[in-house]
C-alpha cells in the first residue's frame, strides 16, 4: 500500500513539473514571437526611411494644401512642398536616432541623446522659426544637455574601465575599508579597556 501512495505522489509531482515547464515554454515562445514582431517593425521602419523622405514629391507646390485629414500652410517658406522637404530632413534623422537609442545596448548609448536633441531642436526651429536662418541657434540649446550627458557617460566609462580593465571593484574596496575601520575601532576599544 505504501508503494502505491508514493507512486501516486511522484506522479503528481511529475505532472506539476511538466506543467511548470510547459508554462515556461509558452511564455518563452510568446516573448520570442513578440520580439520577432517588434524587430521586424523596427527593421521595416529603418528600411523604408528613404521612401519616407521622398514623400515631399507628392506634396503640391502651393501656398496652402488642404486634404480631408489636415491642412498645411507654407509658413515662411516659398510653398508647402519646401516646408515638407525641410521637415522631413529633420524628422527622418530624428526617427533613426530614436530607434538607435532605444535598441542600442552599448555603455555609451546616452551620447545618442545629443544628436537626437539637435535634430529635435532643428525640427521645431524649421516649423516655428520666423527667420530665414536655419540650423544655427540650435547648438546653443545643446550646451546644457551636453553638460549633463557627457559627464554622466564619462562617469559610466570610468566605472567600467576600473572594473573590467583594471580589475578594481569599488564594492569590494568599500567592504575592505569598512572591515579595516571596524578592526581599528575594536583595537581602540580594547586599548582603552585594558588599563582599567
Amino acid at each position: 500500500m505504501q508503494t502505491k501512495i508514493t507512486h501516486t505522489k511522484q506522479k503528481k509531482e511529475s505532472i506539476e513539473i511538466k506543467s511548470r515547464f510547459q508554462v515556461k515554454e509558452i511564455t518563452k515562445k510568446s516573448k520570442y514571437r513578440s520580439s520577432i514582431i517588434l524587430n521586424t517593425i523596427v527593421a521595416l521602419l529603418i528600411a523604408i526611411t528613404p521612401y519616407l523622405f521622398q514623400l515631399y514629391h507628392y506634396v503640391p507646390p502651393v501656398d496652402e494644401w488642404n486634404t480631408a485629414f489636415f491642412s498645411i500652410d507654407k509658413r515662411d517658406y516659398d510653398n508647402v512642398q519646401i516646408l515638407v522637404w525641410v521637415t522631413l530632413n529633420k524628422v527622418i534623422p530624428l526617427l533613426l536616432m530614436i530607434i538607435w537609442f532605444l535598441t542600442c545596448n552599448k555603455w555609451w548609448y546616452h551620447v545618442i541623446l545629443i544628436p537626437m536633441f539637435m535634430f529635435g531642436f532643428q525640427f521645431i526651429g524649421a516649423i516655428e522659426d520666423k527667420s530665414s536662418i536655419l540650423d544655427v541657434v540650435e547648438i546653443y540649446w545643446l550646451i546644457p544637455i551636453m553638460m549633463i550627458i557627457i559627464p554622466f557617460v564619462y562617469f559610466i566609462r570610468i566605472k567600467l574601465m576600473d572594473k573590467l580593465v583594471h580589475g578594481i571593484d569599488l564594492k569590494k574596496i568599500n567592504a575592505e575599508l569598512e572591515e579595516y575601520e571596524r578592526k581599528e575601532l575594536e583595537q581602540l576599544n580594547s586599548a582603552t579597556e585594558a588599563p582599567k
Side-chain angles (χ1 to χ4, degrees):
M1 189 71 172
Q2 183 68 18
T3 57
K4 195 171 190 181
I5 294 171
T6 308
H7 181 65
T8 309
K9 188 177 178 183
Q10 288 174 345
K11 194 172 186 180
K12 285 181 183 179
E13 287 176 356
S14 69
I15 290 172
E16 284 180 24
I17 291 171
K18 284 181 184 178
S19 65
R20 279 191 233 143
F21 180 72
Q22 288 172 347
V23 168
K24 286 181 182 179
E25 282 297 315
I26 290 170
T27 56
K28 274 185 184 178
K29 286 180 182 179
S30 65
K31 285 180 182 178
Y32 184 69
R33 284 187 189 129
S34 64
S35 173
I36 287 177
I37 291 169
L38 181 65
N39 288 334
T40 303
I41 291 170
V42 168
L44 284 174
L45 194 58
I46 292 170
I48 65 169
T49 52
Y51 300 104
L52 290 176
F53 178 73
Q54 297 300 319
L55 286 176
Y56 78 92
H57 288 295
Y58 300 103
V59 177
V62 294
D63 290 346
E64 188 172 343
W65 184 35
N66 295 316
T67 67
F69 304 106
F70 56 86
S71 153
I72 302 174
D73 65 338
K74 68 176 186 165
R75 307 255 176 186
D76 288 334
Y77 298 96
D78 290 341
N79 57 49
V80 175
Q81 188 179 40
I82 295 173
L83 170 68
V84 172
W85 176 76
V86 169
T87 305
L88 287 173
N89 267 317
K90 307 305 176 197
V91 170
I92 300 298
L94 178 62
L95 174 69
L96 292 172
M97 290 287 169
I98 291 171
I99 291 171
W100 188 17
F101 179 77
L102 294 176
T103 58
C104 186
N105 60 359
K106 303 293 184 192
W107 64 268
W108 48 263
Y109 76 100
H110 291 93
V111 175
I112 302 170
L113 288 171
I114 295 171
M116 270 177 51
F117 278 106
M118 180 187 71
F119 284 116
F121 288 137
Q122 287 177 351
F123 169 67
I124 292 168
I127 291 177
E128 298 296 326
D129 197 15
K130 298 296 180 190
S131 68
S132 61
I133 302 172
L134 282 176
D135 302 340
V136 176
V137 184
E138 289 82 10
I139 193 70
Y140 301 116
W141 287 98
L142 284 177
I143 291 172
I145 294 167
M146 290 169 60
M147 289 173 60
I148 295 169
I149 293 173
I150 290 174
F152 178 72
V153 171
Y154 189 71
F155 178 72
I156 292 172
R157 180 193 170 277
I158 289 173
K159 285 242 189 215
L160 286 173
M161 288 292 287
D162 286 347
K163 188 169 188 170
L164 299 176
V165 176
H166 301 296
I168 300 170
D169 190 2
L170 294 177
K171 290 180 182 176
K172 287 181 181 177
I173 292 173
N174 284 337
E176 288 176 11
L177 286 173
E178 288 174 4
E179 180 66 23
Y180 179 74
E181 288 175 359
R182 186 186 62 77
K183 286 181 181 179
E184 262 188 0
L185 195 65
E186 285 178 3
Q187 286 178 350
L188 281 172
N189 288 340
S190 64
T192 56
E193 291 175 4
K196 291 180 182 179

